Amino acid sequence: MANLLYRIGVGAARRAWLAIVSWVVVLGLAAGAFLAFGGTLVSSFSIPGTETDRVTGVLAEELGTSGSTASVVFHTEDGSAIDADQQQGIADALAEVAAIEGVEGTVDPYATVAQVQEQVAGLQAQLETNGENTAALTESLAGLQTGLEQAQATGAPETQIAEMTAQLEELQGQLAGLGIEKEQLELGQQLISFAAEIQTVSDDGSTAMGVVMFEGDAIGVAQEVKDEVIATLTDASPAGVSVDFSSQIATSVEGIVGPGEIVGLLVAALVLLLMFRAAFPAITPVLSSLVGVGVGVAGAMAFSDAVEMSSVTPVLGLMLGLAVGIDYSLFILNRHRTQVRAGMDVRESIGLANGTAGNAVVFAGATVLVALLALNVSGIGFLGLMGTVAAVCVLIAVLVAVTFTPALLGLMGQRVLRRSERGAAPVNKPAPGPMKTSHAVLAIVGGVAVLGAVALPALDMRLGLPDGSTESADSTQYQAYSITEEQFGAGQNGPLLVTAALEEPMTELDQLPTQVAIAQAIMGTEGVVAVAPVGISEDADFLAFQVIGVDGPSSESTEELVHTLRGLEVLDGGASLGVAGFASGNIDVSERLADTLPLYLLVVVGLSLVILVIVFRSLVLPLLATLGFVLSLLAALGATTAVFQWGWLGSVFGVNVPGPLLSFAPLLITGVLFGLAMDYQLFLASAMREAYAHGKPAREAVTAGRHQSRAVVIAAASIMIAVFGGFTFSHLTMIRPLGFGLAVGVLFDAFVVRLLLVSAAMHLIGDKVWWLPRWLDKVLPNVDVEGAALERDHPVPHGDDDGGDVAASDDDGALAKA
């Protein structure tokens, strides 16, 4: 591999413009494919086979309710009651929306109020009429009974008595019918009373909530339809009335780059400039990463019309492509600068840097690819696609690093060095002596204590999907959520659909008693504030209800309510309940993802351990590297939980309402952070192994390797933190916890685990850190990740006998001064 990469590097440097133009053409083709074939990204997630998915399918089959709904909140700008003209304007706006293709219909809040009032008044009038009729019949019945008794006493003819008896039985039948009617009317009143808390107009009249019903499920609704609905209602709303939209309709999936991401990239460029103190070397990794992510993300999005792709999918590819693209190019560039400064010919140095550092980049990229592609073992479609797209972006970043970067270096020539460095004699700075054992013990104890403290909040971690409360305070989704919570109750933001499948069909007279019995059982459940009937199937063996809880869709109480309702026994076991809806779906997705995490960890860690054993030819070091990763992962999850679930420093990171952690964040953070952690371990340990292989004692080799590689690892980690940190302030809510978790994870892993804990542990273990059974040593292939054989054939003119890296030492000083 090293020799192949050497030839690729030399060839790219010799035919620099050909390599550069080739990548530009590939970038153009990817962009063209996206413009020609790209489709619409989706903002919702579903997992086939969940309980919510099953109940939703039954609902569609039994009641034909296959569409999705979204709420729209109208409110006056001055807080006054919405007047009659404004009410008509809202009704007209909703009617206009109902005519949009892809919209099944709308619900006018004032028409709903009128309909409910009409139902209540109608039932009351029928009850009054029933009472009057019952009184009249009772009086007639009493009179007829008295007449019959008198006729029998006076010996009236049998025909007269028979006629009077028949009239009496008829009146008794009518009275019994009125009794049944009264019972049905009272049951209807009771059923309506259960839904009393479901309001569409606030008590003060300043707010009204309409509903837009779409054709197809939430994922199938095209973004163009949602945009047209938003535009229509915004333009058609009456004067003095503002309109806000729930997250089911207004979540943006347009644009994958925002101000935060750009700032992160600028910070990364600044780190490079501080490291190299020269413009051309500083922009090389940035250009390489931009080309790589351009090809990867545009190429992936070209398939978004053929494959259902969430808005997070390309952003994850962008995030990783930028970060690893810069780092991988940086590793090769730093090695090349060291060699040129030592007096090596530029093209020869490019080839050697590509064959040594580039070889390490290939294996580092392989660990990231394993971690990302392993997301497919979860069996969760959207998560596997995220991992695959991100893996493709990382693969392209590796290819760009070993081809495009050498081409740029070839054009750059001696300008890869600062003017003061060109032609100057190299200044070799020997590596310091090995650390003291007491310092190593103190470093391990202190480091583990700090990481353990940061990790503690992870014990309280809850998983969920974002709702309107997690959006920025000035967004329409947040406004709709907060206004709904204030005026109608938090539960109105995430109503549940509860179904009841009966063992036997109901008779017509049994339908209302059955509905009331089930609704009463649901109302008696803790956390329920309202229940409204939705419908009954044609076969009369299936019922559906809308259920409003006390709290919002992402609350812990709503999660408990969903599980309670699924286990609730009604009709003495004669019916089984199911739960669907936005909140239920989020809970099911989150639980499935949580269950997948242990299997994913097992696969990722297992495969990567095999790679690390092959690379390092050691059993101890891969175990140390993995244990260190577990510490940094727990710390990353703990810090993310503290900010996004507990709300610590929430104002800094735009967390308005703390809630559960993004359900797939732990899986993605685990996979990405493991790959990146092994990257840094690879670059540090390969330098340590090289020093050890060249005859240094084990403890001195640890210090020498860390001294040689620390500058580039510090710079690379700082760049990662800057890029991921930029995504912490992304305009996409779901990206923020991912960016934060990865930024914090890299911070702890690079600066605490790799440069401190693992190095200290290797010092304490000594020679045994490189232990490998002889039989295994014979079986394992020799991948020569350091490119030692290549270095022997292409020696650097002025090496550092002490194992110190000239450039690394100098650049380390530059970073320290910065």
Side-chain angles (χ1 to χ4, degrees):
M1 176 64 77
N3 284 301
L4 174 62
L5 291 172
Y6 171 84
R7 292 193 296 270
I8 290 174
V10 172
R14 183 177 293 116
R15 300 177 180 83
W17 283 113
L18 177 61
I20 292 171
V21 170
S22 297
W23 276 111
V24 172
V25 169
V26 173
L27 177 60
L29 290 173
F34 164 62
L35 294 175
F37 307 111
T40 302
L41 302 176
V42 299
S43 58
S44 54
F45 302 89
S46 66
I47 299 178
T50 63
E51 177 64 11
T52 296
D53 183 63
R54 183 193 68 79
V55 174
T56 302
V58 176
L59 270 168
E61 181 182 341
E62 296 285 353
L63 301 179
T65 56
S66 59
S68 61
T69 61
S71 59
V72 180
V73 179
F74 300 92
H75 55 98
T76 54
E77 296 169 359
D78 59 0
S80 61
I82 299 174
D83 60 35
D85 291 337
Q86 290 171 329
Q87 291 177 20
Q88 185 59 49
I90 290 172
D92 294 341
L94 288 169
E96 191 175 339
V97 168
I100 296 174
E101 185 177 355
V103 175
E104 187 174 307
T106 57
V107 176
D108 177 3
Y110 295 98
T112 301
V113 170
Q115 185 180 14
V116 172
Q117 290 174 344
E118 183 180 346
Q119 287 178 340
V120 172
L123 284 171
Q124 186 59 40
Q126 290 179 63
L127 273 171
E128 290 175 1
T129 302
N130 179 276
E132 294 171 358
N133 292 338
T134 300
L137 273 174
T138 301
E139 185 177 350
S140 298
L141 189 62
L144 185 59
Q145 182 68 38
T146 302
L148 178 61
E149 290 173 356
Q150 290 175 350
Q152 289 172 336
T154 59
E158 289 295 329
T159 55
Q160 182 182 353
I161 293 175
E163 184 179 346
M164 293 178 72
T165 302
Q167 290 177 357
L168 183 64
E169 290 175 352
E170 183 180 352
L171 288 179
Q172 288 174 336
Q174 291 178 9
L175 188 61
L178 286 174
I180 293 172
E181 181 185 54
K182 181 183 179 182
E183 182 183 344
Q184 293 283 312
L185 291 171
E186 289 175 342
L187 287 171
Q189 279 188 323
Q190 190 176 1
L191 199 58
I192 289 178
S193 70
F194 292 152
E197 294 298 321
I198 302 178
Q199 296 177 291
T200 57
V201 178
S202 63
D203 292 335
D204 61 6
S206 65
T207 308
M209 185 164 60
V211 176
V212 178
M213 297 177 290
F214 295 100
E215 297 174 357
D217 58 23
I219 293 179
V221 180
Q223 186 65 33
E224 291 82 1
V225 176
K226 295 180 181 180
D227 292 341
E228 188 175 356
V229 169
I230 293 173
T232 301
L233 284 176
T234 302
D235 295 340
S237 293
V241 175
S242 297
V243 57
D244 286 301
F245 304 91
S246 64
S247 59
Q248 288 94 323
I249 188 175
T251 300
S252 173
V253 295
E254 298 299 326
I256 59 175
V257 179
E261 293 88 334
I262 294 173
V263 170
L265 190 60
L266 292 176
V267 172
L270 180 61
V271 170
L272 290 168
L273 192 59
L274 288 173
M275 178 180 183
F276 295 125
R277 288 174 286 174
F280 286 114
I283 63 173
T284 295
V286 176
L287 284 177
S288 296
S289 69
L290 289 176
V291 169
V293 297
V295 173
V297 173
M301 292 182 68
F303 293 93
S304 58
D305 189 45
V307 179
E308 189 179 279
M309 188 176 294
S310 76
S311 56
V312 180
T313 301
V315 181
L316 180 64
L318 174 70
M319 186 192 304
L320 280 178
L322 282 175
V324 302
I326 293 175
D327 276 9
Y328 291 165
S329 179
L330 171 62
F331 291 139
I332 296 173
L333 171 64
N334 186 69
R335 184 64 177 253
H336 172 58
R337 278 169 51 86
T338 301
Q339 295 165 172
V340 172
R341 188 183 300 153
M344 197 171 198
D345 174 72
V346 170
R347 286 187 180 172
E348 177 73 1
S349 175
I350 292 172
L352 183 58
N354 216 44
T356 52
N359 198 33
V361 161
V362 169
F363 281 95
T367 62
V368 181
L369 288 176
V370 166
L372 292 171
L373 291 175
L375 286 169
N376 286 279
V377 305
S378 67
I380 300 173
F382 75 84
L383 192 63
L385 183 61
M386 281 185 198
T388 301
V389 169
V392 169
C393 290
V394 171
L395 176 61
I396 292 173
V398 171
L399 296 176
V400 169
V402 298
T403 55
F404 187 80
T405 298
L408 290 179
L409 296 178
L411 290 179
M412 207 178 304
Q414 287 288 334
R415 286 174 294 181
V416 73
L417 302 177
R418 297 191 297 273
R419 192 181 299 274
S420 60
E421 293 175 326
R422 298 170 198 167
V427 179
N428 293 331
K429 296 180 180 180
M435 71 177 74
K436 294 181 179 179
T437 299
S438 59
H439 290 176
V441 172
L442 184 62
I444 292 175
V445 173
V448 171
V450 169
L451 293 177
V454 177
L456 282 177
L459 296 174
D460 188 44
M461 183 174 64
R462 289 179 52 239
L463 301 181
L465 287 173
D467 53 34
S469 66
T470 61
E471 299 288 345
S472 58
D474 59 349
S475 68
T476 186
Q477 303 98 297
Y478 180 78
Q479 293 300 318
Y481 186 97
S482 58
I483 292 172
T484 299
E485 181 176 16
E486 179 184 349
Q487 297 290 347
F488 304 107
Q492 293 270 29
N493 282 302
L496 302 172
L497 279 172
V498 177
T499 64
L502 307 181
E503 292 182 353
E504 298 291 337
M506 300 173 289
T507 64
E508 187 173 350
L509 285 178
D510 284 339
Q511 291 184 10
L512 265 176
T514 302
Q515 280 186 304
V516 170
I518 295 174
Q520 198 163 26
I522 295 174
M523 278 295 294
T525 304
E526 184 179 356
V528 174
V529 297
V531 180
V534 172
I536 300 175
S537 66
E538 291 184 6
D539 297 334
D541 60 354
F542 183 86
L543 304 92
F545 302 84
Q546 184 185 60
V547 177
I548 305 298
V550 173
D551 297 316
S554 61
S555 68
E556 195 168 358
S557 66
T558 300
E559 183 178 346
E560 293 174 358
L561 176 59
V562 168
H563 291 300
T564 301
L565 289 174
R566 284 174 174 167
L568 186 65
E569 184 174 307
V570 295
L571 303 180
D572 295 325
S576 57
L577 297 187
V579 183
F582 173 74
S584 170
N586 286 356
I587 291 167
D588 286 347
V589 168
S590 301
E591 290 179 350
R592 178 69 68 84
L593 289 168
D595 293 340
T596 302
L597 184 58
L599 172 64
Y600 176 66
L601 272 173
L602 183 64
V603 172
V604 169
V605 172
L607 290 175
S608 297
L609 277 175
V610 172
I611 293 176
L612 293 176
V613 169
I614 294 173
V615 168
F616 295 131
R617 307 193 75 75
S618 163
L619 288 181
V620 177
L621 183 55
L623 291 175
L624 281 179
T626 303
L627 289 174
F629 157 72
V630 171
L631 288 175
S632 54
L633 173 64
L634 293 176
L637 294 179
T640 308
T641 300
V643 171
F644 290 89
Q645 183 177 316
W646 290 2
W648 291 7
L649 301 176
S651 58
V652 176
F653 297 101
V655 182
N656 302 308
V657 179
L661 199 62
L662 182 66
S663 55
F664 50 83
L667 276 166
L668 291 178
I669 291 173
T670 298
V672 175
L673 187 58
F674 187 84
L676 299 179
M678 295 309 107
D679 281 1
Y680 298 133
Q681 187 64 58
L682 180 63
F683 284 100
L684 281 167
S686 57
M688 296 173 183
R689 179 171 176 79
E690 183 179 5
Y692 182 72
H694 289 170
K696 283 188 178 295
R699 292 181 172 177
E700 289 184 21
V702 169
T703 305
R706 187 175 64 169
H707 175 71
Q708 177 181 335
S709 304
R710 66 182 178 183
V712 69
V713 169
I714 290 171
S718 301
I719 290 167
M720 286 276 189
I721 294 167
V723 174
F724 292 146
F727 283 89
T728 301
F729 303 95
S730 173
H731 61 297
L732 296 176
T733 304
M734 285 182 284
I735 288 298
R736 295 174 193 166
L738 291 176
F740 178 83
L742 289 173
V744 172
V746 169
L747 173 68
F748 287 128
D749 194 84
F751 291 94
V752 180
V753 173
R754 303 301 148 197
L755 290 172
L756 189 66
L757 292 183
V758 174
S759 297
M762 292 177 70
H763 171 88
L764 293 178
I765 296 173
D767 289 309
K768 295 196 181 295
V769 78
W770 304 110
W771 175 76
L772 185 71
R774 289 185 179 180
W775 66 267
L776 187 57
D777 186 42
K778 295 178 181 179
V779 173
L780 291 179
N782 186 8
V783 295
D784 188 19
V785 69
E786 304 91 351
L790 184 66
E791 279 192 300
R792 287 193 293 270
D793 295 335
H794 305 271
V796 181
H798 301 285
D800 183 358
D801 293 336
D802 290 319
D805 188 305
V806 177
S809 301
D810 192 39
D811 292 335
D812 192 16
L815 285 174
K817 292 176 184 176

